Amino acid sequence: MEMRVFELGPLGVDSYLILPDEGAILVDAPHESSEVIPSVLSKLGRKLDAILITHGHFDHVWDAGILAKKTGAKVYASPVRRDLLESPDSHSKYAFSGSFNPAKIDVEVGDRDELNIDGVEIKCFDVPGHCDGSVAYWLPKEKVVFVGDLIFRDSVGRTDLEGGDFSVLERSIKEKIYTLPGDTSIMPGHGERTSVEYEKKFNEYVRG
């Protein structure tokens, strides 16, 4: 299975395009994705079937609404803090004064839910701590987990925004991410990929 990574938007969000044998799945829809992703898919002759949202912060959902309209893709997200997707004004609490197209959640996902999209098996985990409603998407056969802003290489997501709580974030990492196989690749919302084994050994914020 092929996967492409696009660093998009003013805050450099990593948006992941998953390309199974047929169809396509996108993880997070930052600013610029509504132009970049359809162009890539057109060249590949693929249709976008799903947009998986890791959490509702504006930099990760900016283009979700318009991209869904353009492609017909369904938006998958936690119903917790659905206002972050459906009501742009809710982002004023996050020091963001811009505007973007709201997105409708087509498929609500929650802890331990299992999905099969375009033949790709996906397991969902609630991982609060950085943002309420955060979801990690684990693809066990591909040995990758998409974590949004929960954990980064040698770091973790900030917890000083509304809904942030370090003790909750630490528990999410230890119970949901560090329990995955060590060779699982961690695909964060910003920066380079890492692995479960590496972070358990070397992440100074949350040790395994």
Side-chain angles (χ1 to χ4, degrees), residues 97-191:
S97 59
S99 62
F100 55 89
N101 291 309
K104 173 182 173 292
I105 299 176
D106 298 298
V107 181
E108 296 181 355
V109 297
D111 198 42
R112 309 295 175 177
D113 282 354
E114 296 186 8
L115 311 172
N116 190 307
I117 305 172
D118 294 334
V120 180
E121 294 180 6
I122 303 169
K123 296 187 178 183
C124 309
F125 301 116
D126 289 340
V127 287
H130 168 69
C131 173
D132 289 334
S134 291
V135 179
Y137 299 94
W138 177 40
L139 282 56
K141 289 184 178 180
E142 286 72 28
K143 297 183 178 181
V144 297
V145 60
F146 301 93
V147 298
D149 290 355
L150 177 70
I151 183 172
F152 308 109
R153 184 179 177 87
D154 297 316
S155 188
V156 296
R158 59 189 294 184
T159 57
D160 59 330
L161 299 174
E162 183 185 32
D165 185 314
F166 181 79
S167 64
V168 174
L169 178 137
E170 182 179 38
R171 186 164 61 250
S172 292
I173 293 172
K174 287 186 174 182
E175 295 181 358
K176 303 296 176 62
I177 305 303
Y178 283 178
T179 54
L180 299 178
D183 60 351
T184 301
S185 293
I186 295 175
M187 317 303 287
H190 304 269

Side-chain angles (χ1 to χ4, degrees), residues 68-86:
K69 290 178 182 178
K70 275 188 173 184
T71 64
K74 291 183 178 180
V75 175
Y76 292 69
S78 168
V80 179
R81 293 308 309 271
R82 67 165 60 245
D83 59 304
L84 293 176
L85 278 81
E86 298 178 352

Side-chain angles (χ1 to χ4, degrees), residues 16 21 46 179 187 192:
Y16 299 92
D21 291 338
R46 298 289 190 104
T179 54
M187 317 303 287
E192 62 183 304

